[in-house]
Amino acid sequence: LRDKCSQLPGCSSLKEKLEACNERINNTEKTEETCNEELIDFMHCIDVCVSKTIFTLHFAILWTRF
């Protein structure tokens, strides 16, 4: 699910920002920059997407039992 969510337009743009930040940091010897903000934004997007899918599946399974 996380892989699918990371490919959706909203999350994929955040993934690109995170990758660009990581690349900047890896190509700089001395920097105080971190990618915490980009990581948090990307993970939040993934969590929201995954939670919608999980709850939808969970309720669908519950309804089939009744």
Side-chain angles (χ1 to χ4, degrees), residues 39-52:
L39 177 61
I40 290 169
D41 290 344
F42 176 62
M43 292 307 298
H44 176 73
C45 186
I46 298 295
D47 288 345
V48 169
C49 176
V50 168
S51 67
K52 288 178 182 178

Side-chain angles (χ1 to χ4, degrees), residues 5-20 38 41-42 45:
C5 288
S6 71
Q7 296 171 7
L8 294 176
C11 294
S12 67
S13 64
L14 294 171
K15 183 178 180 180
E16 290 171 7
K17 288 180 183 180
L18 176 60
E19 289 171 347
E38 290 85 351
D41 290 344
F42 176 62
C45 186

Side-chain angles (χ1 to χ4, degrees), residues 2-66:
R2 287 183 179 187
D3 287 337
K4 287 183 181 180
C5 288
S6 71
Q7 296 171 7
L8 294 176
C11 294
S12 67
S13 64
L14 294 171
K15 183 178 180 180
E16 290 171 7
K17 288 180 183 180
L18 176 60
E19 289 171 347
C21 181
N22 283 327
E23 197 169 312
R24 260 193 327 274
I25 288 175
N26 290 333
N27 292 330
T28 305
E29 287 185 25
K30 294 182 180 180
T31 183
E32 293 183 17
E33 181 181 15
T34 66
C35 298
N36 289 340
E37 183 178 345
E38 290 85 351
L39 177 61
I40 290 169
D41 290 344
F42 176 62
M43 292 307 298
H44 176 73
C45 186
I46 298 295
D47 288 345
V48 169
C49 176
V50 168
S51 67
K52 288 178 182 178
T53 305
I54 288 174
F55 286 118
T56 301
L57 291 173
H58 177 72
F59 288 120
I61 291 168
L62 283 176
W63 282 107
T64 60
R65 291 184 180 180
F66 293 105

